[in-house]
Amino acid sequence: MRRDGGEGLSARPGPVTRFRVRRVSGSAVRDRRDDLATEEPLEIRLLAAGGDARTVAITMRTPGADFELAAGFLHGEGIVGPGGIAAIGYCTDEDLDPEARYNTVTVRLTAPELPDMTAVQRNFVTSSACGVCGTASLDALRDRCPAPALRPPVAVSATTLYALPDRLREAQGVFGRTGGLHAAGLFTPEGAPVAVREDVGRHNAVDKLVGWALMGGTLPLDRHVLLVSGRVSYEIMQKAASAGIQIVCAVSAPSSLAVDLAREFGVTLVGFLRDERFNVYACPERIDVEREPSISVAPPP
């Protein structure tokens, strides 16, 4: 897969934007610089080998790993699969404002025609806060995801899970500067970090990870554990299932639809993973827990 260059484009926005702020603490007032997580729109365009083009999404995101975000989003929606992308690059259309060119990504397909996207029931304008407005049909997801019985066995210990939130936080460089980003991390079943991505949208962070795997030829991710820094929504479960991930963890709660999806597709779903405790909402058999021995207390004579 080729990554097109961005010659002639304006300055690329970064993940952090600096502002002057006034900090008030008690009766003390001080003007200082503050770093905020950047939030800007990203337009994702498709370009078929035959020349047809179409905008498929506009999402609010934190700049960085934009090509991975585009690839992961398209994979999660079933629009492209392995081998389906020929190149990804920033748009260089002359009619586009220079400052917007790093906010527009063109995905060049290997197929001669654009895919049929009538099954994708959605509004293609999304936000970093709420994720996808609408989803691909469950039938389409069922067609793309293997049955649980066909997946290789994978298991992880509770002790390993306990260590993951700290390892994710250690890899969040931009969060350390801004305190305002979500993160998604891939780990081995032994707890070793594989890749971490940050974004103002938790679903964008997952798309960046899936796009990283798609562009690197490492899908499916059936031997990895996914950890997200916030809650687990239906969209995140959809993206994880599409990527073949069998264990999804979150430091916060899952939604009811996320639990329904995890149970239907055989994905282990862990929530409230913090302070050496967690809840398992689906498929607990993949979690190895060393149970404390029960203590029998004899009744008094």
Side-chain angles (χ1 to χ4, degrees):
M1 181 190 306
R2 191 173 78 253
R3 295 167 172 81
D4 290 348
E7 295 82 358
L9 300 185
S10 59
R12 181 183 306 196
V16 175
T17 302
R18 294 177 176 177
F19 288 87
R20 296 295 298 180
V21 300
R22 176 160 294 178
R23 173 168 290 182
V24 179
S25 178
S27 59
V29 178
R30 183 164 63 98
D31 291 336
R32 54 160 289 175
R33 189 195 77 186
D34 196 22
D35 291 336
L36 301 181
T38 305
E39 183 176 26
E40 293 201 1
L42 180 70
E43 179 180 348
I44 301 173
R45 297 180 178 180
L46 287 183
L47 177 62
D52 291 337
R54 176 179 175 181
T55 293
V56 295
I58 300 173
T59 185
M60 302 302 296
R61 98 301 188 191
T62 296
D66 290 334
F67 297 170
E68 295 174 355
L69 172 57
F73 171 83
L74 294 173
H75 180 273
E77 293 301 319
I79 297 173
V80 300
I85 298 177
I88 303 180
Y90 290 108
C91 187
T92 57
D93 289 354
E94 294 183 357
D95 60 347
L96 198 65
D97 292 337
E99 61 271 17
R101 292 178 182 175
Y102 274 118
N103 287 336
T104 306
V105 166
T106 298
V107 180
R108 302 184 183 185
L109 305 179
T110 56
E113 299 179 352
L114 293 175
D116 180 9
M117 290 178 284
T118 56
V120 183
Q121 304 297 324
R122 60 180 290 107
N123 176 351
F124 282 113
V125 178
T126 73
S127 77
S128 61
C130 67
V132 174
C133 301
T135 61
S137 69
L138 275 174
D139 287 340
L141 189 60
R142 293 184 184 106
D143 291 340
R144 304 201 311 271
C145 295
L150 301 178
R151 299 172 183 167
V154 61
V156 62
S157 71
T159 301
T160 296
L161 292 184
Y162 293 150
L164 296 189
D166 286 341
R167 292 176 182 174
L168 181 66
R169 178 63 62 86
E170 290 169 359
Q172 289 182 250
V174 181
F175 178 87
R177 296 175 60 186
T178 66
L181 281 183
H182 291 287
L186 283 176
F187 298 86
T188 67
E190 296 73 35
V194 177
V196 173
R197 295 293 183 269
E198 296 179 279
D199 201 278
V200 289
R202 59 179 63 87
H203 57 93
N204 286 344
V206 175
D207 277 336
K208 289 177 178 181
L209 284 180
V210 175
W212 166 82
L214 177 65
M215 296 168 70
T218 58
L219 285 179
L221 296 171
D222 49 15
R223 301 297 301 176
H224 295 78
V225 178
L226 173 67
L227 172 64
V228 296
S229 60
R231 61 182 176 84
V232 178
S233 63
Y234 173 89
E235 288 88 10
I236 287 179
M237 287 304 306
Q238 173 190 326
K239 296 171 189 299
S242 296
I245 297 171
Q246 299 187 60
I247 302 176
V248 177
C249 305
V251 300
S252 189
S255 69
S256 61
L257 284 179
V259 174
D260 288 343
L261 196 66
R263 291 179 175 179
E264 177 174 353
F265 289 89
V267 178
T268 298
L269 178 55
V270 173
F272 293 107
L273 177 57
R274 53 180 183 253
D275 301 326
E276 294 198 357
R277 62 179 177 85
F278 57 82
N279 296 339
V280 186
Y281 295 87
C283 303
E285 62 273 9
R286 294 193 182 97
I287 310 298
D288 293 331
V289 179
E290 294 184 4
R291 298 180 182 271
E292 295 181 359
S294 58
I295 300 175
S296 298
V297 179

